[in-house]
Structure formats: structure tokens, C-alpha cells
Amino acid sequence: MSLPKLIATAFALLLFRFGFSQAICGFDIIHNRKMIEDPAYRQKMQNYESNLRQYIQQHPELQDSKIKSNSAASKFKSLAGGPPYLIPMVVHVVHTGGAPGSIYNPTDAQVQATVDYVNQVYNGTYPGTQGAGDLQIQFVLAKRDPNCNPTNGIDHVDGSGIAGYVSGGVNLQTTLGTNEINVKNFIRWDPTQYYNVWVVDKIDGNDGTSGTFVAGFASFPGGASNDDGIILLATQMGPGLKTLPHELGHAFNLYHPFYDPADLSGSGTTCAANTDCTAQGDQVC
């Protein structure tokens, strides 16, 4: 799932505003690991970026530096055929047996309120986001499941049978919990028809109630279809919390503003080069 970077200036503004204090985004960790260890992923990402740059070069009207962020969306609107661009979403709440409303099993009302909040962020009506303008993108919880049965787009499943899940959730930097693919394979709706969000109890054993923790991470578009989607802590499912709108930015192919493609190890010992805005940092000119 991807969109031209003509709206990326507005998205970058959102990503920058939604920085984290104790909550950390795990995107760079998972992306860099795949870039180092998975040649197929690396090639796909390089091809994707090359194609995207070629698209932008072929549409010079998208590169006008004088375009304000709140008018970028209107340019996308003209290309997309009209507002809004609706994206069907399914939220899989992978709980551990607790009743709806317990810490690892947010209620349908909590999920719906969070999606409504995300839509306010992306249309620029949520307090503090008005400067980004209306991006003409909205997320809609699915009305039909893969078998065409009515649904509210919220899927509560008990993941306590997944080895290691109850104690550690999904692992990212440690051996605690289970690999993300085990949760995604446990329940997934067709990623060509729905955008999947998996709400999990913990990441690396942390549930987000104290200390420093990874709050969630998304997969870039263009990778393996069974990876596509977002892993999100259950404690981050709520209106006003910043993780879900932030991770959705990555789902639209956006890096962090100070991403350093030359430092895939994540050592952070040097400042990222910033001499070519098409290939460095967030790659948004």
C-alpha cells in the first residue's frame, strides 16, 4: 500500500510532531535488520525507492518547493480523483484471555474512538495538527470480512496458545515472546483488501505501562505481503495516543526525519549526512 510522496511534507510534519518520550518506534530496528539480513527485501526497497523517485521526476509539478503543506493534499486529490482516499482497516486484538476492557483487550469502543482520532489527525482537525492541512486520507474499519459476512472491522482473538506470547508478547530486540510473523500468521485478512493492525499484549516483554518501551512498528510498503501491517501495543490503543498515526506514516513509505541509511547498524555515533534531500534523512525535499 503506497502513495506518491507529494503529500510527504505534510506527513513529515505529523511524524515530527508525534515524537516519543518513553515510547519508542521500532520501525528503524526492523527495517534496518531486514536491509542487512534479507537480500530480497533490500532489493525490493531499492527498487521501490528508485521507482518512486522516477515518478516524482516525471511529475515536476510535485517538486514545487513553494507548495504549502496544506495544498499538497489538494494536488493528490486531483490525481486520485477526489476526496477522500478511503483505506479499509481491520484491527486484530490478540488478547491473552482477558475480558474486553481489560489491559490487553481494548473494547470495540476504544478501537473505534482511536480510528476516529487518527482520522482527525490525518484531516488536520485534531488540536495541534491543523498546520498540516487535510491530507484527504481516511481509515474505515471494514464492513465485510474476507467471507463477505458483516463485520465491524474489529477482530478479538485469544493468542494465549502462541508459544511465548503470554509472557513476552512479540519480540523485536530480545528473545522474549514470539516472532511477529507467528502473530501475523495466526490471524490475517487479505492485505490486498485490508490494512491489518495487530494489537498485542507486549513487545520484548514490555506492555507500555512503565519505563522505556517499543510502542509499535510498521512495515514499509513493497515488502513481503505477509509482513504488511502494524504491530501495536494494546496500551497504545486509545484516542490522543501518538503511536498509531505515527506508524501509519511508515505504512505510507515515510522514514523518520533523521533516518541514516548509511548507519543500518543503528550505532548512532555519527550525525546523518544531509547534502541530498532525495536520498538522505527522510528523503523528502
Side-chain angles (χ1 to χ4, degrees):
M1 185 177 291
S2 64
L3 294 171
K5 279 190 178 174
L6 58 106
I7 54 171
T9 300
F11 270 127
L13 178 62
L14 283 172
L15 289 174
F16 187 77
R17 284 180 173 172
F18 287 113
F20 297 104
S21 52
Q22 290 182 313
I24 297 170
C25 170
F27 166 76
D28 286 348
I29 298 168
I30 195 74
H31 173 71
N32 289 353
R33 180 185 301 157
K34 290 177 181 177
M35 288 292 286
I36 293 172
E37 299 177 356
D38 187 342
Y41 179 86
R42 183 168 60 250
Q43 187 63 56
K44 284 184 177 181
M45 293 301 103
Q46 291 169 347
N47 291 343
Y48 190 91
E49 290 294 341
S50 176
N51 292 337
L52 197 53
R53 291 192 188 98
Q54 184 178 24
Y55 179 91
I56 293 173
Q57 290 171 359
Q58 292 172 348
H59 297 80
E61 72 276 10
L62 307 183
Q63 302 181 66
D64 185 354
S65 62
K66 296 181 181 179
I67 295 176
K68 295 181 180 179
S69 61
N70 62 359
S71 67
S74 66
K75 275 194 170 290
F76 173 71
K77 168 184 169 182
S78 66
L79 291 178
Y85 193 94
L86 300 179
I87 299 175
M89 174 185 286
V90 56
V91 175
H92 307 288
V93 179
V94 188
H95 60 83
T96 54
S102 56
I103 184 172
Y104 303 138
N105 193 359
T107 64
D108 289 1
Q110 285 177 270
V111 174
Q112 182 64 68
T114 305
V115 174
D116 292 342
Y117 150 69
V118 168
N119 283 329
Q120 290 177 329
V121 170
Y122 276 69
N123 67 26
T125 60
Y126 190 76
T129 67
Q130 292 91 337
D134 186 351
L135 301 181
Q136 303 293 335
I137 296 169
Q138 296 286 273
F139 301 90
V140 180
L141 288 168
K143 305 302 182 187
R144 294 281 175 177
D145 71 12
N147 295 317
C148 208
N149 297 313
T151 180
N152 64 358
I154 305 168
D155 184 27
H156 297 261
V157 294
D158 189 340
S160 57
I162 303 173
Y165 182 72
V166 172
S167 60
V170 170
N171 59 42
L172 181 66
Q173 296 178 286
T174 73
T175 58
L176 296 173
T178 188
N179 189 284
E180 62 170 307
I181 199 63
N182 295 327
V183 171
K184 292 178 176 180
N185 286 344
F186 185 70
I187 180 66
R188 178 193 295 106
W189 290 7
D190 182 356
T192 68
Q193 300 296 318
Y194 309 90
Y195 189 73
N196 289 267
V197 176
W198 289 270
V199 176
V200 301
D201 62 340
K202 302 168 187 173
I203 298 176
D204 286 333
N206 294 319
D207 63 9
T209 56
S210 63
T212 299
F213 57 91
V214 174
F217 54 93
S219 298
F220 251 4
S225 61
N226 63 351
D227 272 343
D228 193 44
I230 289 173
I231 295 286
L232 181 78
L233 281 181
T235 54
Q236 297 297 302
M237 180 58 75
L241 298 175
K242 303 168 185 177
T243 304
L244 187 54
H246 178 101
E247 298 306 330
L248 285 166
H250 296 309
F252 286 113
N253 196 47
L254 288 175
Y255 293 98
H256 289 130
F258 304 106
Y259 179 72
D260 186 357
D263 185 21
L264 295 180
S265 67
S267 66
T269 56
T270 60
C271 291
N274 191 23
T275 57
D276 181 358
C277 62
T278 69
Q280 296 168 337
D282 58 14
Q283 302 183 28
V284 176
C285 292

